[in-house]
Amino acid sequence: MNVAAVEGVLGQIVRERSADYQGRETEPGPARPRIRRFEAALRAPGLSLIAEVKQASPSQGHIAALDPLQAALAYQAGGAAALSVLTEPRHFGGSQEALQTVVAGAALPALRKDFVVHPAMLLEAAEWGASAALLMVSVLGEQLPDYLQRAHHLGLDALVEVHDEAELRLALDAGAEIIGVNNRDLRSLQIDLENSPRLIRQARAAGFQGLLVAESGYRTRADLDTVRALADAVLVGSSLAGSGDLGRAVRELLA
Ligand SMILES: O=C(O)c1ccccc1NCC(=O)[C@H](O)[C@H](O)COP(=O)(O)O
């Protein structure tokens, strides 16, 4: 992948992550059975919630100093279906420890939320106990099929993230099983809540039978109305993490 060509904030992050993993092993690692726990959690009736353990971000700066496990348990008690745990350290306050403590202490399946730019990051995700990993089409481009195959080989579900029509086409052609549509343009950080319903409709019109996730920018129950009848799940981070009462925030969102 050509990380030098990725623009804006996203470009800076993926270049840092590429440097972090430069020279690391690229072997696929041992095959593991597909349990599909993350996928199964999103298949529950109604709009499932993936609640994100997120302490900071480029768009919000500091969000909250969270104990990752306490945050995960509050999300779980509030009714979330799955967890997303940031492991990117510089911009999001994430860590390996955050993911591992959440996996060890919470019952819900967890997504490793990071900027996957090297196969070793998928091996780590599996070894740290994640049920799924994020694969961003804006970062992986034509390498998406290879990373998708590697994730599945390691027993991981993959949340394949897209932001526009061209990325959606790549995700569909690669055989993605779970597609997330990000409302946030990761180059400019602008949010457009119409982006998810628009691309989700296009995915269904193209015959996609897998799961569809609406991502980013959701703050209230009313915000979810745009995707309630369209998406299988919604991924919410900042508004929950910064709420001060994470369990209550989940309950209000899902009420
Ligand atoms: O959140 C950011 O500012 C951001 C900036 C650059 C790259 C990625 C970024 N976020 C990743 C995400 O898409 C979100 O963590 C996730 O979808 C939750 O979004 P939100 O509910 O708006 O926190």
Side-chain angles (χ1 to χ4, degrees), residues 11 42 59 118 126 128 132 142 146 174 202:
L42 307 191
S59 56
H118 192 287
W128 299 348
E142 300 291 338
D146 177 49
Q202 287 189 21

Side-chain angles (χ1 to χ4, degrees), residues 21-36:
Y21 285 86
Q22 198 173 16
R24 293 278 294 270
E25 179 64 67
T26 59
E27 287 303 307
R32 295 169 195 240
R34 285 291 301 282
I35 310 288
R36 298 179 184 264

Side-chain angles (χ1 to χ4, degrees), residues 27 70 80-81 93 111 113 123 126 145-146 152 154 177 188 215 222 225 233 241 253:
E27 287 303 307
Q70 292 312 313
L111 169 83
K113 190 85 184 302
L123 190 52
D146 177 49
H152 292 166
L154 290 164
E177 296 169 355
S188 66
E215 302 177 14
D225 288 345
L253 201 61

Side-chain angles (χ1 to χ4, degrees), residues 155-243:
L156 296 166
D157 295 331
L159 174 60
V160 177
E161 183 177 293
V162 304
H163 180 68
D164 59 28
E165 284 82 354
E167 291 178 8
L168 175 61
R169 178 42 55 200
L170 277 174
L172 294 172
D173 290 348
E177 296 169 355
I178 311 172
I179 297 179
V181 180
N182 206 332
N183 292 315
R184 181 178 284 114
D185 180 331
L186 300 184
R187 294 170 174 85
S188 66
L189 303 184
Q190 295 301 307
I191 296 265
D192 173 9
L193 292 188
E194 292 305 315
N195 202 46
S196 283
R198 191 172 61 83
L199 290 184
I200 285 173
R201 283 196 182 90
Q202 287 189 21
R204 289 296 181 220
F208 179 65
Q209 305 271 319
L211 295 169
L212 286 158
V213 181
E215 302 177 14
S216 301
Y218 297 106
R219 309 196 70 79
T220 67
R221 190 176 183 283
D223 288 342
L224 300 182
D225 288 345
T226 56
V227 288
R228 198 176 299 285
L230 293 171
D232 298 288
V234 62
L235 171 58
V236 184
S238 310
S239 63
L240 297 176
S243 66

Side-chain angles (χ1 to χ4, degrees), residues 3-64:
V3 292
V6 183
E7 296 164 2
V9 177
L10 181 62
Q12 182 190 340
I13 298 170
V14 297
R15 281 187 285 281
E16 290 166 355
R17 287 316 248 162
S18 291
D20 290 341
Y21 285 86
Q22 198 173 16
R24 293 278 294 270
E25 179 64 67
T26 59
E27 287 303 307
R32 295 169 195 240
R34 285 291 301 282
I35 310 288
R36 298 179 184 264
R37 276 189 73 212
F38 186 79
E39 182 185 313
L42 307 191
R43 280 201 189 280
L47 188 65
S48 299
L49 173 67
I50 308 167
E52 187 157 278
V53 179
K54 182 176 186 181
Q55 311 210 46
S57 74
S59 56
Q60 308 287 314
H62 174 78
I63 297 172

